[in-house]
Amino acid sequence: MKPIASRVHASWKLACVLLHLLRGWWTVVLVFPGLTTPQKQERIRAWALALLALLAIKLVVIGRPPKRGPLLLVCNHISWLDIYVIYAVCHCRFVAKADVGRWPLIGTLAAAVGTLFIERESRRDALRVVQQMADSLHAGDSIVVFPEGTSSDGVGVLPFHANLVQAAIAANAPVQPVALRFSDAASAAHSLAPCYINNDTLMGSMWRMLTAPPLCATLIFGEQQSAQERGRRAWSADLRLAVEALRASPVDS
């Protein structure tokens, strides 16, 4: 009976998550136009925290999250959930694959909060987005990118693509390395439940998280750094090493 009860409970939680996504869609479409920027930011953070609670994910933050821009944050990429983990901690804009903008509900939510969408296979589109990022940084925004270019299992950090780091160089903005990891909340062992890789589907990823033991998302913020005459490739390589070191650091550091 336990497996059946567990599936019923997971199904109930999935329905709650989908309802939460619908509420988010309703808020950004009908409520956001009448809100100030600070009010929008607080709504986004509260919504993201509620989503993590529905998914039974504990949030641990290490280091100093940014309070203001201009700033480019570079983070390793594991799941579609990464964006909402970061939103639960600080307000920022994201650069995401164009495919995300076409996802039901989530695509609408992402567009409404200022996400910049990029066709990663197109060099011309990358140049367009880099210019948009530089303009946004000049305006004082904080922007998050996932330089790996794709999600991974979180065991290591994939090589970084350097093109988006050019925006920080063009805007003379600092960059802050950030590391994310998911673990079993009870044992602290690395968890693959949130992964969104290979043939995973969005619904399948949600279901895997809902049927897994409670999880912990740990977000580790490193120190901000400037280019110091480094080109984008050298700086990107150094940033990858920084993210890798943060990801491997003890939780209680």
Side-chain angles (χ1 to χ4, degrees), residues 51-100:
L51 177 63
L52 297 183
L54 285 171
L55 292 169
I57 297 177
K58 175 185 176 183
L59 178 62
V60 173
V61 179
I62 299 173
R64 291 177 292 184
K67 294 183 178 180
R68 63 184 64 86
L71 180 66
L72 180 67
L73 298 95
V74 296
C75 184
N76 61 310
H77 193 18
I78 300 170
S79 170
W80 60 272
L81 189 62
D82 299 353
I83 289 175
Y84 305 108
V85 172
I86 297 173
Y87 269 142
V89 178
C90 56
H91 179 73
C92 47
R93 301 182 72 181
F94 283 84
V95 176
K97 292 187 296 185
D99 290 349
V100 174

Side-chain angles (χ1 to χ4, degrees), residues 4 27 31 90 156 172 192-193 232 244 250:
I4 295 176
T27 298
V31 179
C90 56
N172 194 27
L192 296 175
R232 65 181 186 182
E244 199 167 41

Side-chain angles (χ1 to χ4, degrees), residues 8 12 31 41 55 57-58 72 87 99 102 107 113 121 128 132 140 156 180 201 251:
V8 169
W12 168 250
V31 179
Q41 293 173 355
L55 292 169
I57 297 177
K58 175 185 176 183
L72 180 67
Y87 269 142
D99 290 349
R102 295 187 281 269
V113 295
E121 296 77 15
R128 174 189 65 82
Q132 286 185 334
L180 174 64
T201 63
V251 172

